[in-house]
Amino acid sequence: MMENILLNDGNKIPAVGFGVFRIPNDGSTYKAVLQALKVGYRHIDTAAAYFNEAEVGKAIADSGIDRKDIFVTSKLWLQDYGYEAAKKGLATSLKKLGLDYIDLYLLHQPYGDVVGAWKALEEGQKNGQIKSIGVSNMTPKIWNNFVPQFKTLPAVNQVEFNPYFQQVELRKVLAPADVKIEAWGPLGQGNSELFAEPLIKQLSEKYHKDAGQIILRFENQLGIIVLPKSTHETRMKSNMELFDFELTNSEMEAMTKLDKGHGSHNPDAPGVESMLLSAFDVHSND
């Protein structure tokens, strides 16, 4: 049975979502989302910059599942920051998804006119186009720079998170306002070193679960919303089967000691903003 997590705005979000980052828009995303919904996922995470919002929307429409039972996340790309541009960007996401509203809409990257874009998201929330609003890739430094200028607190911050990078400082910053972390790359992007950790192997044997399930359960028990990605049906299923066992306090403590304190992506690094701004054009096919 899927667990839900309560957000600081009163909305609920499924604890495990299906991410579609890097799944191509050649029919593969449509097929993967349809399969994910079939095996029981009710939380789909896409973005304008994934170029597959339209296939996500089509799969939702064709799934036969009531719209209100599916939690949909999308994200606004940097090109559409600033108040007016963000309003258009949101309208484009809704149109591509073929939806009347988006359950969670995030600012995908924390650069440029973040404050103007956030204002447009706040407005979108007020007029019912978005249920919950949030940010992504905000470090403590970036958070403290922008969020004090927001009228509304984000409900989530979607960041890199896995046992090797447990975002300890960020969690301290977010906890007082009950801002939830969503993990991208919750399995360390398939890091073989992580999967071979003796502790994870030991827990895997004890609970008769695979390494991925041990990792995701650890994150779930920390209150992290996880977004594992797989196009294989067996893996899709196993990534959801986390709620029939529980790690003990001492096991959780042992897992926290795997933290290396850094990840593969550093949003504070010089040059990241300009690199992302010139990465691609989300309007190339408009």
Side-chain angles (χ1 to χ4, degrees):
M1 188 67 185
M2 177 60 67
E3 281 181 6
N4 286 306
I5 288 175
L6 185 66
L7 299 175
N8 63 10
D9 59 8
N11 292 321
K12 285 179 180 173
I13 183 170
V16 183
F18 182 72
V20 298
F21 178 50
R22 287 194 178 138
I23 305 182
N25 60 355
D26 57 2
S28 307
T29 299
Y30 173 76
K31 195 176 154 192
V33 172
L34 215 47
Q35 187 64 57
L37 291 168
K38 194 176 164 189
V39 301
Y41 283 89
R42 292 296 179 266
H43 174 185
I44 309 294
D45 180 278
T46 184
Y50 297 172
F51 296 95
N52 54 19
E53 285 173 309
E55 290 199 17
V56 167
K58 189 176 180 332
I60 288 167
D62 293 351
S63 70
I65 299 162
D66 200 319
R67 164 68 186 103
K68 69 174 171 37
D69 295 329
I70 302 174
F71 191 102
V72 181
T73 299
S74 196
K75 310 175 195 81
L76 186 75
W77 188 243
L78 281 167
Q79 255 175 295
D80 293 330
Y81 281 18
Y83 175 66
E84 291 299 337
K87 285 206 291 187
K88 284 183 195 159
L90 169 58
T92 303
S93 281
L94 284 161
K95 189 180 170 192
K96 286 187 175 171
L97 286 159
L99 300 175
D100 297 330
Y101 68 91
I102 297 170
D103 296 274
L104 175 63
Y105 203 55
L106 308 178
L107 297 185
H108 202 155
Q109 299 290 348
Y111 312 106
D113 188 1
V114 169
V115 178
W118 186 253
K119 195 181 160 200
L121 265 58
E122 289 175 323
E123 196 175 278
Q125 186 178 34
K126 278 200 185 92
N127 66 28
Q129 291 173 294
I130 316 166
K131 300 278 191 195
S132 295
I133 54 179
V135 295
S136 185
N137 296 302
M138 277 200 179
T139 61
K141 182 182 168 188
I142 295 170
W143 179 274
N144 289 326
N145 179 28
F146 287 121
V147 178
Q149 301 176 64
F150 294 175
K151 273 188 190 165
T152 313
L153 268 174
V156 305
N157 184 9
Q158 187 179 123
V159 293
E160 182 179 9
F161 192 105
N162 64 73
Y164 281 166
F165 186 30
Q166 295 176 30
Q167 296 279 11
V168 176
E169 289 312 308
L170 183 64
R171 277 155 61 203
K172 285 179 194 164
V173 172
L174 303 185
D178 194 27
V179 178
K180 295 290 185 272
I181 285 182
E182 275 193 306
W184 63 255
L187 296 169
Q189 292 160 304
N191 184 335
S192 54
E193 187 192 341
L194 175 62
F195 278 70
E197 279 288 345
L199 171 64
I200 291 171
K201 281 186 150 178
Q202 183 196 326
L203 293 171
S204 191
E205 283 164 26
K206 176 184 169 181
Y207 290 105
H208 307 290
K209 291 286 182 180
D210 63 38
Q213 290 167 316
I214 297 297
I215 292 166
L216 294 171
R217 182 61 182 160
F218 164 67
E219 293 163 348
N220 170 259
Q221 284 182 228
L222 287 177
I224 309 297
I225 299 151
V226 295
L227 301 166
K229 188 203 94 176
S230 178
T231 50
H232 304 287
E233 187 183 343
T234 50
R235 179 64 63 198
M236 282 182 190
K237 282 180 179 168
S238 70
N239 286 342
M240 277 198 306
E241 291 162 358
L242 315 176
F243 306 110
D244 55 353
F245 75 106
E246 193 168 336
L247 302 175
T248 66
N249 289 345
S250 60
E251 288 164 353
M252 288 293 290
E253 210 172 297
M255 285 287 288
T256 62
K257 288 177 181 156
L258 296 176
D259 188 28
K260 296 178 188 283
H262 62 85
S264 62
H265 174 61
N266 177 9
D268 290 327
V272 172
E273 178 175 358
S274 54
M275 179 270 285
L276 288 170
L277 265 170
S278 58
F280 42 70
D281 178 6
V282 294
H283 297 302
S284 57
N285 298 322
D286 289 1

